[in-house]
Amino acid sequence: MNILLITYRFHPCSAIGAKRWSEFYNLSQNDERVNFTVLTANWTGKKNHDKNIFYLGREVSYMPPK
């Protein structure tokens, strides 16, 4: 099964939504029948250099709401 995830927040962003999608992606790697591709913003920080994760655009920093 092929899955394309287009999300603004993904690891290394520290927002809770990014953590949820990142964990979902990591869990999907346990099933070899799943081919998961991620398109996300280019977050500042240590990136996951997986061939299926594409960081797009200029680097952005997460600013948590007050």
Side-chain angles (χ1 to χ4, degrees), residues 40-42 55-59:
T40 187
N42 189 11
Y55 297 97
L56 307 174
R58 294 185 197 148
E59 213 170 77

Side-chain angles (χ1 to χ4, degrees), residues 21-55:
W21 281 123
S22 299
E23 185 62 28
F24 184 71
Y25 174 80
N26 292 333
L27 288 172
S28 74
Q29 299 304 299
N30 296 333
D31 188 350
E32 57 191 44
R33 296 173 295 165
V34 176
N35 181 20
F36 210 107
T37 302
V38 177
L39 301 178
T40 187
N42 189 11
W43 292 99
T44 301
K46 186 177 179 191
K47 296 176 178 58
N48 186 347
H49 294 289
D50 191 310
K51 64 179 180 142
N52 293 333
I53 300 175
F54 299 93
Y55 297 97

